[in-house]
Amino acid sequence: MDLVQISRKPYKYIHADSKFTNWQKDFYEQNGYIIIKDNINYELIDELNQRFIDICEGNAEDAKCQIIKDPILKKKGAKGEFVVNKLQEITYDPILSKYSSEKSLLDVIENIIGPNITAVHSMLINKPPDSEPDISKHPLHQDLHYFPFRPAHKIVGSWTAMQKVDESNGCLYVVPGSHKSPLYKHEYPKGSNNALYHGITGKEHLPRKLVILEKGDTVFFHPLILHGSGPNMTKNFRRAISVHFADSNCQFINVAGTVQENIKKEVEDILRHRGIELSFEDGWKMKSKLIKGPAGNFQRFDSHL
């Protein structure tokens, strides 16, 4: 990938010193996402995949991540990789964390948000076969709904396919250009109670672009872009690994009284139910991890008080 051509054109969504080509800058600026082919090498992906299986089967005593199970498949008695649909906070796992520090990934992240990089949310997503469609899919949403920090253009998500992903096994879809929209109100879709899987209604008519990827391809996307994913309709797994990164100096905001108030309340209620008294904002700081550059607001618990 050519990362040497520097444009003099002012960009709103790309870091000022980005070494993306003019075409790459223009594409991200206009569409809110960009696909980098062969971004992560097969050897690392295979290592991450084996780590996932080891964790699912209880063969990783040093694992440091949160295991989320598909509630329907759990009731059916599924075990191991057939019941786990997500590993969260993987940046602290000794093996899975290799993804968030991979140079080929960080080179792209730096070209979008700059050199001061904090990993703010991380997960390995597994769509097992035989799950219910409403559990397996993710409704149309904007990731910024979950984040109490700004500015939005200093946040970017990475999503890497661990094998080919297409419409049959539940690939991502995006609404190109929707990153220029405001943050919409998110709620649970009618009939759904999949915890924290909020979505947007009234935007289903907007044209969508399927993000079809081969193993090792990565899509990078702005946190305001409208996107989601379909269910896995195959008899095989569909796996991807994803991390959201932010400029370490992003400012934390109080989302009370805004369209994000419901997610703040729900998250704090979940934590309180677990015996944890922690604000929505400080929760994001606690699970973030400095990746590159000096410490910033994510590493200061009094930065927004």
Side-chain angles (χ1 to χ4, degrees):
M1 182 177 65
D2 179 9
L3 293 177
V4 298
Q5 185 179 2
I6 301 177
S7 172
R8 301 301 178 188
K9 178 181 177 180
Y11 289 91
K12 182 177 179 181
Y13 302 102
I14 290 285
H15 182 62
D17 295 328
S18 175
K19 295 181 181 177
F20 269 171
T21 65
N22 290 345
W23 181 90
Q24 289 169 325
K25 291 178 183 180
D26 289 341
F27 189 91
Y28 189 87
E29 185 81 6
Q30 295 167 13
N31 295 283
Y33 76 99
I34 191 167
I35 296 171
I36 303 298
K37 305 292 290 183
D38 299 316
N39 182 242
I40 303 296
N41 67 74
Y42 282 16
E43 183 178 355
L44 177 56
I45 290 177
D46 292 343
E47 183 180 9
L48 299 173
N49 188 62
Q50 186 58 54
R51 179 66 168 182
F52 172 77
I53 294 171
D54 290 343
I55 291 173
C56 291
E57 295 180 350
N59 296 326
E61 294 182 1
D62 60 340
K64 293 183 179 180
C65 57
Q66 182 182 6
I67 301 173
I68 309 295
K69 297 182 179 180
D70 183 308
I72 302 299
L73 295 176
K74 185 178 179 180
K75 287 181 181 179
K76 292 180 179 179
K79 303 292 183 181
E81 62 182 318
F82 288 89
V83 70
V84 174
N85 60 10
K86 192 180 294 183
L87 300 181
Q88 291 197 151
E89 320 315 335
I90 61 174
T91 50
Y92 289 96
D93 185 85
I95 303 299
L96 298 177
S97 62
K98 292 181 180 181
Y99 172 80
S100 61
S101 59
E102 180 70 8
K103 185 179 184 302
S104 59
L105 185 81
L106 293 180
D107 283 348
V108 181
I109 297 299
E110 184 169 346
N111 277 293
I112 296 174
I113 66 170
N116 300 322
I117 301 171
T118 290
V120 297
H121 182 51
S122 57
M123 52 190 174
L124 193 155
I125 311 157
N126 182 48
K127 291 194 177 189
D130 302 321
S131 180
E132 296 290 334
D134 283 345
I135 299 294
S136 183
K137 68 182 181 182
H138 199 303
L140 190 68
H141 67 286
Q142 297 164 299
D143 288 336
L144 194 66
H145 168 67
Y146 297 94
F147 301 150
F149 39 88
R150 302 290 189 274
H153 69 274
K154 289 294 186 178
I155 307 166
V156 65
S158 67
W159 197 99
T160 299
M162 298 179 72
Q163 79 279 315
K164 182 173 182 176
V165 293
D166 56 25
E167 190 172 14
S168 67
N169 63 4
C171 67
L172 290 179
Y173 58 82
V174 298
V175 178
S178 58
H179 64 302
K180 300 175 183 179
S181 304
L183 178 60
Y184 297 111
K185 184 177 182 179
H186 289 58
E187 298 176 307
Y188 282 109
K190 186 177 180 179
S192 173
N193 60 356
N194 199 5
L196 301 177
Y197 276 52
H198 295 177
I200 300 168
T201 58
K203 303 297 179 183
E204 294 83 0
H205 63 285
L206 296 174
R208 302 175 179 184
K209 171 74 173 178
L210 294 177
V211 182
I212 297 173
L213 303 174
E214 299 290 338
K215 179 179 178 179
D217 295 349
T218 303
V219 57
F220 298 86
F221 50 96
H222 189 280
L224 277 171
I225 194 170
L226 292 165
H227 68 289
S229 67
N232 179 10
M233 306 303 292
T234 73
K235 292 299 181 181
N236 298 310
F237 297 95
R238 193 232 69 182
R239 289 185 191 138
I241 189 164
S242 176
V243 175
H244 276 83
F245 298 91
D247 186 316
S248 301
N249 291 309
C250 279
Q251 296 292 322
F252 280 75
I253 64 169
N254 185 353
V255 301
T258 74
V259 293
Q260 291 178 265
E261 189 170 41
N262 61 336
I263 187 66
K264 171 182 171 70
K265 182 180 185 302
E266 184 171 351
V267 169
E268 290 178 351
D269 285 348
I270 290 172
L271 292 173
R272 195 172 296 112
H273 182 73
R274 296 174 180 172
I276 303 171
E277 288 292 335
L278 190 68
S279 72
F280 181 52
E281 297 81 10
D282 281 348
W284 281 106
K285 290 185 178 186
M286 283 194 68
K287 67 181 185 177
S288 68
K289 182 180 180 181
L290 182 65
I291 300 296
K292 184 176 182 180
N297 290 329
F298 278 92
Q299 291 74 44
R300 289 195 290 270
F301 273 76
D302 62 347
S303 63
H304 69 294
L305 302 178

